[in-house]
Amino acid sequence: MTESNRSIEQQQAPMPDWEKRFRAPRVSLPDWAEDAPHRSLFVSNATGTYELYAWDRATGEQRQVTHRANGTTDGVLSPDGEWIWWFDDKDGDEFGIWRRQRFSGEASDGDADRKRDGGSADEPAVPGLEPSYPSGLAIGRDGRTAVVGRSTDDDGSTIHVARTGEAHVEIYRHRESAGVGDLSHDGSLIAIEHTEHGDAMHSALRVLCLDGSTVAELDDSKGGTVELGLEVLGFAPVDGDSRLLIGHQRRGRWEPLVWDVVSGEETDLALDLPGDVAAEWYPDGSALLIAHSFEARSDLWRYDIASRELVKVETPPGTVSGATARPDGTVEYLWSSAAEPSAVRSTTGEVVLDPPGLKSPGSVPVEDVWVEGPGGRIHALVQKPAGATTPLPTVFDIHGGPTWHDSDSFAAGPAAWVDHGYAVVRVNYRGSTGYGREWTDALKHRVGLIELEDIAAVREWAVTSGLADPDRLILTGGSWGGYLTLLGLGTQPDAWTLGIAAVPVADYVTAYHDEMEALKAMDRTLLGGTPEEVPERFSASSPLTYVDAVKSPVYISAGVNDPRCPIRQIDNYVDRLTARDAVHEVYRYDAGHGSLVVDERIKQVRLELDFASRHLQL
């Protein structure tokens, strides 16, 4: 066969299922305008890059809003449906400004030159506000007021009130993390989350007037002496209503309650549901849509405020990643399971958004495994090729966060490993959400080492149960999962055959000094101080400390603009591997903390699969 014929044959080769899962168009749960519910905003990868799209439900028209080489996912639709705000950073560095354009895509009336020239419809949403990391945004129903949260290394956290045609006004400033939660329905009150007490994992709440004066305070952490957090879920959607829906942890898990910020009255819902519970208002304020998460699955309920009746909203078994109640009382939700790709569904039985083009193949379902660990029972999710003979080469795919958890939801990455003959094990280690406050908050001071104890316990089960081949074990993950991968290769060097780390923390001290301010605050909470204050803890938790003990081949991928796991600290780790001729490969790409470009994602998965195949000799 000639080289040209071979090339033609390769071009005509059918696309493998794992690649189809990445290329198939996906959509997010559409946001909709409170006062124009026929206008919606969603994210899709239909063009090969994740971007924002406007959708007029009345006409069916859909329009791509943003067009950026590295994609855009942060957008907000104004309550009147007239404006789309989107965050404009530089190549994924998460540092930038809010821009806005009309829902129609036309340039605003005040910009005659751009209208005449057919130029970009985008304009700075808050002229004069300097670039920053975003920290919440709430837009008023009057069409001209917005409350913008921001953070920088120099300023800490600031919050600004912006009105069209006027200079923005700063109403809040603090060194610790804070952000905008919500703006009341009549636009008179602002709810913010803050960590002025210094505990970045457990926020307190404050309600402000638009002039910055304080209306109410709620702090379950007792100034940082008790580890209980609060979160803003939303003001009641009724003019003059001062009720604020919040989340609390007073009974050891996340639950909602209604707080009247003027009278101070608290209405505890005390829902008889296990696991974590969140909520949002129905549009008329008469009921709450309850999102319930328990043991890696989730479902929906309707809670009537007057009767206190709780009624299940029927959804298929699996995971509801987001849900919203519509003005007609129906509920739209984003659903998937490990076996079935995601879809935006409605309680009417219809699929709300079904993008044309390639359809994603399914995968295999997950099996639940519970393993006794040093801190209690550990929940793991296992997938393996149908009909495969064990033991299998096994991938421990470790989730990021760390305050996150793996669930029975569709994920193209694990499915790709299964397609290539691997078993996949995902571990909801101590520090994960979804298993109560004590499980999440166990991650303190011995950061990284605690999670790896749980991963080691599940590894032992996988080998002794006959699932995993002990000579073909891969430790992998992205972000915090990438960090645990590198730390595990150094602290458990005989346990893993190879490691694949995406956008990891590799040198904890340098990462702290280079990362965005909000993550500095989180690290101070996790480790109990700065690298200068608790150097022994940073050293014990840093992969760089153990790099000379690494025996297995290591693959690392990193975004050169990443503000969360910056490139300099990864280079420090790689230099140490290089100095002792350790087997490793590094792939750097022009983006931030991951890529929003489909081709780039596919390239990275292909490189990881190839690295594993070569070193496991599959």
Side-chain angles (χ1 to χ4, degrees):
M1 180 183 296
T2 66
E3 188 63 35
S4 60
N5 287 339
R6 184 179 295 111
S7 176
I8 292 172
E9 183 177 289
Q10 290 171 347
Q11 292 174 11
Q12 294 175 343
M15 185 185 299
D17 281 354
W18 74 264
E19 185 174 335
K20 289 179 184 178
R21 295 190 191 96
F22 284 93
R23 292 202 182 279
R26 301 182 186 181
V27 292
S28 67
L29 179 71
D31 187 16
W32 53 274
E34 185 177 0
D35 296 328
H38 62 288
R39 291 187 167 183
S40 291
L41 182 69
F42 65 92
V43 176
S44 177
N45 64 338
T47 63
T49 302
Y50 285 85
E51 296 284 7
L52 295 170
Y53 288 78
W55 175 28
D56 189 323
R57 297 177 186 234
T59 65
E61 180 185 0
Q62 296 179 9
R63 177 182 67 83
Q64 186 174 340
V65 174
T66 51
H67 303 76
R68 301 199 305 155
N70 281 312
T72 314
T73 58
D74 291 338
V76 177
L77 182 59
S78 64
D80 61 7
E82 290 297 319
W83 292 96
I84 296 168
W85 288 50
W86 61 274
F87 194 75
D88 183 14
D89 66 349
K90 181 180 179 182
D91 296 329
D93 68 359
E94 302 181 40
F95 194 85
I97 66 169
W98 287 99
R99 297 188 183 275
R100 69 174 191 168
Q101 65 172 262
R102 290 196 176 276
F103 186 87
S104 64
E106 297 178 354
S108 63
D109 294 336
D111 199 338
D113 289 340
R114 280 193 301 162
K115 287 191 72 173
R116 182 181 60 252
D117 297 339
S120 169
D122 297 309
E123 61 186 40
V126 187
L129 195 59
E130 292 296 317
S132 66
Y133 297 110
S135 189
L137 170 68
I139 304 174
R141 295 173 61 233
D142 62 1
R144 61 183 299 266
T145 303
V147 183
V148 183
R150 58 192 296 276
S151 70
T152 68
D153 292 345
D154 294 334
D155 296 336
S157 301
T158 61
I159 294 175
H160 304 254
V161 172
R163 292 185 175 91
T164 303
E166 300 179 16
H168 61 84
V169 178
E170 181 183 302
I171 62 167
Y172 177 90
R173 175 181 290 259
H174 201 276
R175 282 303 315 167
E176 298 292 344
S177 297
V180 176
D182 196 22
L183 184 62
S184 63
H185 198 253
D186 61 8
S188 64
L189 300 173
I190 305 162
I192 70 169
E193 299 176 358
H194 71 82
T195 59
E196 294 175 5
H197 49 267
D199 182 352
M201 293 183 67
H202 303 94
S203 294
L205 305 183
R206 182 173 298 151
V207 178
L208 306 173
C209 291
L210 266 65
D211 62 3
S213 59
T214 298
V215 175
E217 301 257 13
L218 199 59
D219 183 359
D220 279 4
S221 74
K222 311 302 181 187
T225 61
V226 179
E227 294 182 338
L228 293 175
L230 298 166
E231 63 179 349
V232 173
L233 299 177
F235 277 105
V238 179
D239 272 344
D241 195 327
S242 56
R243 292 176 300 165
L244 178 64
L245 185 63
I246 67 172
H248 70 90
Q249 296 180 302
R250 296 171 183 174
R251 284 185 288 266
R253 61 184 183 130
W254 281 108
E255 300 177 75
L257 68 77
V258 177
W259 175 35
D260 189 317
V261 302
V262 173
S263 71
E265 180 184 3
E266 297 179 12
T267 304
D268 188 355
L269 307 186
L271 301 176
D272 187 19
L273 295 170
D276 286 342
V277 182
E280 69 169 49
W281 296 95
Y282 270 75
D284 63 0
S286 67
L288 300 176
L289 178 61
I290 303 296
H292 167 236
S293 175
F294 182 59
E295 295 183 352
R297 275 91 181 172
S298 54
D299 48 30
L300 300 174
W301 302 73
R302 185 185 187 277
Y303 177 81
D304 186 276
I305 291 178
S307 68
R308 301 181 72 89
E309 182 182 18
L310 185 66
V311 178
K312 189 174 177 99
V313 177
E314 293 301 325
T315 59
T319 296
V320 176
S321 301
T324 182
R326 294 279 294 166
D328 63 0
T330 62
V331 174
E332 295 178 353
Y333 58 96
L334 180 64
W335 173 91
S336 73
S337 71
E340 296 186 54
S342 62
V344 180
R345 302 187 178 193
S346 169
T347 50
T348 63
E350 299 177 346
V351 174
V352 177
L353 273 178
D354 186 15
L358 183 68
K359 300 302 180 185
S360 173
S363 187
V364 297
V366 293
E367 303 171 19
D368 296 86
V369 172
W370 292 88
V371 177
E372 290 298 329
R377 295 173 73 229
I378 307 160
H379 191 193
L381 302 174
V382 178
Q383 290 173 279
K384 58 186 178 183
T389 301
T390 57
L392 292 165
T394 299
V395 175
F396 276 69
D397 189 1
I398 309 304
H399 72 72
T403 49
W404 190 252
H405 68 270
D406 279 316
S407 63
D408 182 9
S409 59
F410 196 76
W417 288 109
V418 172
D419 284 0
H420 286 78
Y422 297 85
V424 176
V425 179
R426 290 180 283 170
V427 182
N428 284 330
Y429 49 75
R430 278 172 290 170
S432 302
T433 56
Y435 300 87
R437 180 180 62 84
E438 288 186 5
W439 190 260
T440 302
D441 288 355
L443 184 57
K444 286 289 180 69
H445 298 179
R446 293 181 60 249
V447 172
L449 305 174
I450 291 172
E451 303 96 296
L452 285 169
E453 289 175 352
D454 291 350
I455 293 167
V458 178
R459 177 200 178 278
E460 179 66 17
W461 164 84
V463 172
T464 58
S465 69
L467 170 69
D469 181 346
D471 295 324
R472 295 185 293 173
L473 288 176
I474 299 174
L475 186 60
T476 186
S479 190
W480 197 264
Y483 158 64
L484 293 176
T485 295
L486 296 185
L487 189 63
L489 294 179
T491 60
Q492 304 167 351
D494 296 317
W496 308 104
T497 314
L498 59 89
I500 299 173
V503 290
V505 172
D507 169 1
Y508 217 140
V509 174
T510 302
Y512 175 87
H513 289 300
D514 290 359
E515 68 194 4
M516 57 202 303
E517 184 59 36
L519 293 185
K520 286 186 173 72
M522 178 63 76
D523 284 336
R524 290 194 297 271
T525 295
L526 290 173
L527 290 155
T530 67
E532 291 71 31
E533 293 166 340
V534 287
E536 71 289 347
R537 291 179 185 167
F538 274 83
S539 177
S541 293
S542 179
L544 188 66
T545 301
Y546 312 97
V547 65
D548 291 338
V550 172
K551 298 178 181 180
S552 304
V554 187
Y555 174 89
I556 299 173
S557 61
V560 297
N561 305 313
D562 191 345
R564 298 173 180 267
C565 299
I567 194 68
R568 184 168 72 103
Q569 51 95 26
I570 292 174
D571 288 340
N572 291 346
Y573 185 89
V574 171
D575 288 346
R576 290 280 295 275
L577 290 175
T578 302
R580 64 183 187 89
D581 293 325
V583 178
H584 70 283
E585 295 179 18
V586 182
Y587 174 67
R588 298 174 177 84
Y589 55 95
D590 186 18
H593 199 61
S595 176
L596 299 176
V597 179
V598 172
D599 281 341
E600 178 60 40
R601 291 188 176 187
I602 290 171
K603 179 180 180 180
Q604 291 179 27
V605 172
R606 184 176 284 116
L607 288 170
E608 292 174 2
L609 291 167
D610 176 68
F611 183 81
S613 178
R614 283 187 283 114
H615 289 283
L616 295 185
Q617 298 181 342
L618 297 179

